[in-house]
Amino acid sequence: MKTWTGILLMIILAVATLSVTSTAKTTNESQQQLNIDESSSQAVAAEASHIDRMNDAVSSNKEMTQFQADDVSVAPENKDVRVYPVSIEGSGYIYNGLVVEANGKKREFSDWRAEGGSYKPEVHELDLNGDGKKEIVVLYSEGHGTGIYLGQAHILDPVSLEVMKMQALDEIVNEHVESRVTIGSDQINIDITVDGVPAESSHVEKGAGDSLYNDKLQFGRVTYHSVENGKLVVSTSGAYGEGVYAGDLTFSYVYENGEWRANDLKYNTEVYEEEYYESFD
């Protein structure tokens, strides 16, 4: 009887030991999995933090290197007025967006696309309308090539740096200019009036081949802006065909009824020699 009792006691002890061991193993495995999960989460967090730091570093570096001192244009009238690119494309000749700074204020114009290098933008501070406040004038080229110069100009309010309304070139031409291009057998005749006053007619020798000519002068493919004697002056060439020009329409802007409008329009005939076209290359 004692022998069977001893055997039964041993079986009970063995089962209890196995149960404890299994429980401990399960607990240990759960703890190991928890440690692994925590380690993985920490690794992901560390990696994300590292990527963020890398992105911050790249962004910071980009800000520091996006333009150089040569890309900054300063107003000759006031050193505290300047313009520079938001970013630069290619070899530094295309400015994607411009930033205007004026007397402690700054505004970004991301939709202004300008040329850099020797064609980089100009900025001026002057009282264009005689109201005692100096407007900000920004001039730049959108592109140039053989027989093409796409000049642009903006006038900014000196307080808000908002772009002020300016009469568009197409509207100016439609309102003030009438022209007619007549194609003869060997000559092209160009007649033009500005505000009803006839300007000097042009007679151009017809070129060889079947060139296409306009029925009236087209303006806008060669347009320059400049600041002269306290005024914003525009000179735009009239094309009687693709890349061939007869003369220049010039005018300045005056402020009337909340808008800058064309004033003092004149048309002058010019002889556009071949080297003129080459000068845009």
Side-chain angles (χ1 to χ4, degrees):
M1 179 63 65
K2 291 183 179 180
T3 301
W4 286 108
T5 301
I7 292 173
L8 181 59
L9 182 60
M10 290 178 63
I11 292 173
I12 293 172
L13 289 174
V15 171
T17 302
L18 181 60
S19 177
V20 171
T21 302
S22 176
T23 301
K25 180 178 180 181
T26 301
T27 302
N28 187 52
E29 287 176 350
S30 298
Q31 184 62 46
Q32 288 179 352
Q33 184 63 45
L34 179 61
N35 292 338
I36 291 173
D37 291 342
E38 289 178 350
S39 178
S40 298
S41 299
Q42 292 171 359
V44 170
E47 181 65 17
S49 177
H50 175 68
I51 292 173
D52 289 342
R53 289 196 301 271
M54 289 284 287
N55 289 338
D56 291 343
V58 169
S59 298
S60 177
N61 186 56
K62 183 178 180 181
E63 289 177 1
M64 290 187 294
T65 61
Q66 64 183 347
F67 63 88
Q68 300 177 356
D70 290 342
D71 298 309
V72 180
S73 300
V74 179
E77 304 85 1
N78 183 354
K79 65 180 179 60
D80 292 325
V81 176
R82 61 181 191 159
V83 62
Y84 52 87
V86 174
S87 63
I88 296 177
E89 180 180 318
S91 301
Y93 296 104
I94 300 298
Y95 293 172
N96 287 317
L98 293 176
V99 177
V100 177
E101 288 188 3
N103 305 312
K105 292 165 290 193
K106 180 168 68 174
R107 188 157 190 158
E108 180 179 308
F109 300 90
S110 58
D111 58 336
W112 293 0
R113 184 177 174 89
E115 289 191 283
S118 58
Y119 294 91
K120 75 177 185 179
E122 294 181 32
V123 62
H124 296 269
E125 183 190 51
L126 64 161
D127 185 0
L128 290 175
N129 56 6
D131 66 351
K133 297 189 299 182
K134 294 182 178 180
E135 287 77 32
I136 308 300
V137 181
V138 179
L139 313 177
Y140 60 89
S141 166
E142 288 186 330
H144 73 282
T146 302
I148 297 174
Y149 188 89
L150 304 178
Q152 289 288 341
H154 298 285
I155 301 174
L156 276 59
D157 181 273
V159 178
S160 65
L161 295 185
E162 291 184 357
V163 177
M164 304 180 74
K165 187 177 181 181
M166 296 176 65
Q167 190 178 18
L169 179 58
D170 288 347
E171 181 184 342
I172 293 169
V173 172
N174 290 336
E175 182 178 327
H176 297 275
V177 178
E178 292 184 5
S179 63
R180 182 176 69 253
V181 177
T182 306
I183 312 301
S185 58
D186 58 358
Q187 184 174 270
I188 301 170
N189 299 315
I190 303 162
D191 299 295
I192 182 170
T193 62
V194 178
D195 290 327
V197 179
E200 182 180 354
S201 299
S202 299
H203 308 285
V204 183
E205 183 178 348
K206 189 176 180 181
D210 298 323
S211 298
L212 295 177
Y213 297 103
N214 306 319
D215 58 359
K216 63 180 180 180
L217 294 178
Q218 303 293 322
F219 295 89
R221 297 285 283 176
V222 174
T223 303
Y224 287 94
H225 300 81
S226 59
V227 171
E228 301 176 16
N229 300 320
K231 296 181 179 180
L232 175 56
V233 178
V234 183
S235 175
T236 181
S237 300
Y240 60 89
E242 184 63 34
V244 285
Y245 300 90
D248 290 333
L249 177 69
T250 61
F251 58 90
S252 58
Y253 278 100
V254 296
Y255 195 65
E256 296 178 349
N257 301 320
E259 179 183 14
W260 293 95
R261 300 183 62 83
N263 181 63
D264 192 24
L265 288 86
K266 298 176 182 177
Y267 181 81
N268 299 303
T269 59
E270 296 284 350
V271 178
Y272 290 88
E273 303 292 350
E274 184 177 354
E275 53 265 28
Y276 172 82
Y277 303 132
E278 292 176 349
S279 69
F280 294 107
D281 290 337

